[in-house]
């Protein structure tokens, strides 16, 4: 463990943290102008930082190879930076592209957000940098504005055409609640989620199957959704109400129908989840989550054998409901369980994975935590 001082020979100006997220419901809806309901994890990327006046951006990660990456801020260009350093570089490049006069910095990172697990470790990294830069350079930018910048960084510099959910979750979630977000206009509501008070837990199961959203599959799904909206004469699939689903499907080529069915029914599931939470009935969320998994598996086709096994086993072992969370193609499963069943469900999944010859999954209970913030 090398702290900021031992890497850069001076004290940082401050320390900032931004969390990963788990999405309760509303998957692959964000780039369709739809609704999402994520919560922030207690796991964060922490960034210690200080300004530099010579235009250099220096990056060091406790999870990296022990070396400092040195970049010239003025030379940053999409495609020119490799590996994890792309994410912080992307944020600095985007701030400048958006007209903010920011220069260099020394940045030191430490993270306990599992990477490649569908828990938004990259958004957490981007949002930690965005928040640190806001304070280092005195930028008058709100949390949603920083989230949009971080999303643009990922879209234009890293090259992943993601929606805005992960960055908004990392910036705007609050402790003790989930964030209901309308991804069209970014209106949002903090929704209290007192699971502990109701004897419930959210079990996260990281299947350890790594996905890579940059591999093109995500972009293809997004393009399929946008093409469907266009064929239906809609601004986005969010504008297709459930009542209009059947006739709309008849107008679409067969290969696009399941995508549209998922997005429309998933927006309905977010509404159902909200109604249950507003009524103080989080225990009834289970079937909504499980239906969401079936839709991602059968219609959107972004689950995989490991996420299917984790979700099915969790439910068979007594979970109230379970679904994959995040972009898919691996990553994590979320299970809603009674507190007393937490260990049994986690054990059942671990045993099922061993029996299937899969890597041992990592399991933990998620508590709704605070979004990006300055620590010191
Ligand atoms: C990834 C993307 C998000 C969202 C989810 C799927 O996490 O970064 O924008 O599309 O997949 O809901």
């Amino acid at each position: 463990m090398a702290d900021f001082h031992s890497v850069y020979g001076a004290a940082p100006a401050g320390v900032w943290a931004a969390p990963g997220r788990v999405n309760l419901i509303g998957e692959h809806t964000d780039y369709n102008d739809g609704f999402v309901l994520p919560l922030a994890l207690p796991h964060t990327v922490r960034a210690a930082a200080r300004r530099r006046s010579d235009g250099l951006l220096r990056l060091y990660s406790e999870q990296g190879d022990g070396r400092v990456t040195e970049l010239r801020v003025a030379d940053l260009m999409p495609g020119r930076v490799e590996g994890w350093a792309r994410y912080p570089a992307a944020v600095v490049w985007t701030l400048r592209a958006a007209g903010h006069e920011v220069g260099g910095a020394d940045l030191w990172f430490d993270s306990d957000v599992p990477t490649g697990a569908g828990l938004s470790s990259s958004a957490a990294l981007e949002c930690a940098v965005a928040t640190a830069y806001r304070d280092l350079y005195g930028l008058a930018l709100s949390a949603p504005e920083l989230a949009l910048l971080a999303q643009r960084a990922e879209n234009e510099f890293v090259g992943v055409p993601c929606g805005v959910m992960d960055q908004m979750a990392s910036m705007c979630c609050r402790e003790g609640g989930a964030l209901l977000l309308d991804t069209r206009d970014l209106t949002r509501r903090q929704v209290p989620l007192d699971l502990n008070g109701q004897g419930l837990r959210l079990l996260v199961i990281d299947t350890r199957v790594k996905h890579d959203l940059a591999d093109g599959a995500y972009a293809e799904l997004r393009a399929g959704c946008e093409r469907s909206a266009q064929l239906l004469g809609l601004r986005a699939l969010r504008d297709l109400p459930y009542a209009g689903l059947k006739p709309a499907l008849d107008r679409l080529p067969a290969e696009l129908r399941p995508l549209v069915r998922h997005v429309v029914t998933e927006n309905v599931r977010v509404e159902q989840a909200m109604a249950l939470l507003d009524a103080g009935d989080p225990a009834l969320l289970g079937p909504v989550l499980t239906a969401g998994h079936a839709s991602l598996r059968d219609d959107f086709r972004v689950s995989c054998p490991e996420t299917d096994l984790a979700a099915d086993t969790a439910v068979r072992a007594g979970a109230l409901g379970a679904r994959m969370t995040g972009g898919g193609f691996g990553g994590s499963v979320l299970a809603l369980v009674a507190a007393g069943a937490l260990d049994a469900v986690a054990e059942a999944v671990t045993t099922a994975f061993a029996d299937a010859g899969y890597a041992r999954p990592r399991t933990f209970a998620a508590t709704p935590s605070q979004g990006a913030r300055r620590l010191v």
Side-chain angles (χ1 to χ4, degrees):
M1 172 113 187
D3 63 6
F4 186 96
H5 196 284
S6 66
V7 176
Y8 295 119
V15 182
W16 292 261
R21 64 96 189 92
V22 67
N23 187 20
L24 200 54
I25 193 80
E27 217 67 85
H28 289 278
T29 49
D30 63 349
Y31 51 83
N32 291 299
D33 281 3
F35 298 89
V36 295
L37 192 58
L39 51 114
L41 292 172
H43 308 70
T44 59
V45 171
R46 284 157 319 278
R50 67 168 176 168
R51 273 173 76 144
R52 292 184 63 88
S53 52
D54 60 0
L56 288 182
L57 177 65
R58 298 203 293 178
L59 307 166
Y60 172 88
S61 166
E62 280 290 298
Q63 285 69 46
D65 59 8
R67 279 183 296 195
V68 174
T69 300
E70 195 171 288
L71 303 164
R72 292 200 61 78
V73 166
D75 295 344
L76 293 177
M77 284 278 278
R80 283 213 193 143
V81 187
E82 306 260 284
W84 69 269
R86 277 176 303 163
Y87 297 96
V91 171
V92 176
W93 175 82
T94 308
L95 281 166
R96 288 165 63 88
H100 302 287
E101 291 190 3
V102 299
D106 286 334
L107 290 163
W108 171 99
F109 300 102
D110 191 12
S111 172
D112 62 351
V113 185
T115 54
L119 301 173
S120 293
S121 59
S122 14
L125 180 52
E126 291 154 4
C127 291
V129 174
T131 312
Y133 255 74
R134 176 197 64 196
D135 293 351
L136 289 179
Y137 281 93
L139 307 172
L141 290 168
S142 66
E145 285 169 336
L146 290 174
L148 284 172
L149 274 161
Q151 182 205 13
R152 183 176 164 198
E154 180 127 359
N155 291 167
E156 294 180 15
F157 194 96
V158 182
V160 177
C162 64
V164 78
M165 167 170 72
D166 303 345
Q167 291 79 10
M168 278 297 288
S170 188
M171 287 304 312
C172 299
C173 280
R174 302 253 175 87
E175 195 172 344
L179 178 78
L180 174 66
L181 174 70
D182 179 337
T183 63
R184 169 162 281 167
D185 60 7
L186 300 193
T187 50
R188 57 203 176 278
R189 175 148 81 87
Q190 304 289 342
V191 185
L193 190 63
D194 178 23
L195 297 172
N196 287 356
Q198 303 243 7
L200 297 169
R201 298 286 184 275
L202 273 183
L203 175 68
V204 176
I205 304 155
D206 169 10
T207 65
R208 301 204 185 242
V209 179
K210 300 260 178 191
H211 66 175
D212 184 358
L213 290 185
D215 73 357
Y218 182 92
E220 253 174 58
L221 290 163
R222 181 173 181 156
C225 290
E226 286 168 355
R227 171 113 187 90
S228 305
Q230 198 187 24
L231 289 172
L232 294 169
L234 301 169
R235 179 172 159 200
L237 287 183
R238 176 255 182 78
D239 298 306
L240 180 59
Y242 183 71
L245 180 60
K246 247 184 166 309
L249 293 182
D250 291 340
R251 292 170 54 202
L252 290 170
E255 72 275 12
L256 293 178
R257 285 178 205 155
L259 296 185
V260 174
R261 191 160 51 220
H262 167 73
V263 173
V264 172
T265 59
E266 186 77 350
N267 277 322
V268 172
R269 281 185 287 273
V270 177
E271 258 177 58
Q272 291 170 337
M274 278 312 307
L276 292 170
L277 291 178
D278 282 341
D281 279 333
L284 301 182
L285 284 174
V288 181
L289 303 183
T290 305
H293 186 80
S295 181
L296 288 164
R297 181 191 61 212
D298 303 335
D299 276 344
F300 221 67
R301 301 194 173 207
V302 290
S303 76
C304 65
E306 291 86 350
T307 48
D308 290 346
L309 181 66
D312 293 349
T313 308
V315 171
R316 252 191 321 225
L320 302 169
R323 61 180 287 271
M324 53 147 281
T325 183
F329 313 107
S332 295
V333 163
L334 170 72
L336 181 69
V337 295
L342 187 71
D343 292 342
V345 171
E347 265 174 48
V349 175
T350 304
T351 306
F353 269 49
D355 291 349
Y358 297 157
R360 188 183 170 85
R362 168 180 14 211
T363 59
F364 61 90
T367 42
S369 302
Q370 182 62 31
R373 65 224 180 244
R374 184 173 190 155
L375 297 178
V376 179

